[in-house]
Amino acid sequence: MSHTTKQDLEASLKKLLLEKPLDKITIQDLTNDCGISRMAFYYHFKDIYDLVEWSCLEDATKALQGKKTYATWQEGLRQIFEAVLTNKPFILNAYHSISREQIENYLFKLTYALIADVVREQAEGTGLSEDATKFIADFYKYSFVGVMLDWIKQGMKADYDELVDHISTTMHGNIFNSIQNFTKQGK
């Protein structure tokens, strides 16, 4: 029941975002559309921005299902772009309505989940420390998020398949090289 209410609120938010900007949507708008009480909203979320973040992370989690290995990370990245594009009105509205920091935090969580699993898989048996693993994942997370933020800022017009191919070409072998460089230094 709890998850269903959250999904209903997410659907209402996405529907209302097609009609007006995020900063004009009220909790009453959402609860009226869902047919729930304001208290039910606050039971699940502290405010609308909390709902936006949850919605983004839900969509991202679905997009990344089973695509967080070295062999599949490119497909996982492609699916992140697809999830963002599928929710274009929602994402663009959120991008223009909330702080850049909130958008970055959402994208950081999303891409870190993808990259950290790939780094851990590639580092298995190398003795790479958790700090080094985190640093490598953070390093690549920032580059992915930068590319995605530029794509969103430009209205998501560029072919994301081409972007994923460019990222893949740039990254080819680099995570493994980073791991080797850190392990050579004993980190």
Side-chain angles (χ1 to χ4, degrees):
M1 171 88 173
S2 173
H3 196 70
T4 302
T5 302
K6 287 181 170 185
Q7 290 172 328
D8 290 347
L9 285 165
E10 175 185 19
S12 290
L13 177 63
K14 288 179 178 180
K15 176 181 148 194
L16 291 170
L17 280 171
L18 295 173
E19 302 167 11
K20 55 186 170 181
L22 183 64
D23 59 355
K24 300 292 185 208
I25 296 173
T26 66
I27 291 171
Q28 186 169 348
D29 292 335
L30 291 167
T31 56
N32 287 346
D33 190 66
C34 283
I36 64 169
S37 70
R38 287 177 59 86
M39 290 305 296
F41 176 89
Y42 286 114
Y43 177 77
H44 298 289
F45 302 105
K46 63 182 179 192
D47 57 24
I48 289 177
Y49 300 109
D50 191 29
L51 170 59
V52 169
E53 184 175 336
W54 181 85
S55 298
C56 290
L57 291 174
E58 274 294 294
D59 291 345
T61 300
K62 291 173 196 165
L64 284 176
Q65 291 292 325
K67 303 294 187 218
K68 298 192 303 183
T69 66
Y70 183 75
T72 61
W73 74 265
Q74 294 93 339
E75 185 59 30
L77 185 59
R78 185 171 279 108
Q79 287 177 302
I80 291 170
F81 274 98
E82 287 171 3
V84 170
L85 188 60
T86 298
N87 292 299
K88 184 176 181 175
F90 173 71
I91 296 294
L92 286 176
N93 203 325
Y95 180 81
H96 294 296
S97 299
I98 61 178
S99 75
R100 180 181 169 103
E101 183 180 354
Q102 286 174 298
I103 292 287
E104 285 176 350
N105 285 339
Y106 152 65
L107 292 172
F108 286 154
K109 287 178 188 174
L110 177 60
T111 56
Y112 185 83
L114 171 65
I115 300 165
D117 284 355
V118 172
V119 173
R120 284 187 186 95
E121 176 191 348
Q122 290 288 289
E124 197 169 305
T126 65
L128 186 71
S129 72
E130 186 57 34
D131 285 344
T133 300
K134 183 179 178 337
F135 182 85
I136 292 168
D138 280 341
F139 182 84
Y140 291 111
K141 165 189 81 176
Y142 288 114
S143 65
F144 285 8
V145 169
V147 169
M148 186 164 279
L149 283 172
D150 281 350
W151 180 68
I152 293 169
K153 183 179 179 180
Q154 295 164 5
M156 302 182 203
K157 293 176 183 149
D159 178 10
Y160 66 83
D161 280 319
E162 189 175 314
L163 289 173
V164 170
D165 288 343
H166 288 334
I167 291 169
S168 180
T169 300
T170 302
M171 294 281 300
H172 185 74
N174 285 332
I175 290 176
F176 182 74
N177 287 339
S178 296
I179 292 166
Q180 284 191 322
N181 290 339
F182 271 92
T183 54
K184 284 179 189 172
Q185 292 179 350
K187 295 183 180 184

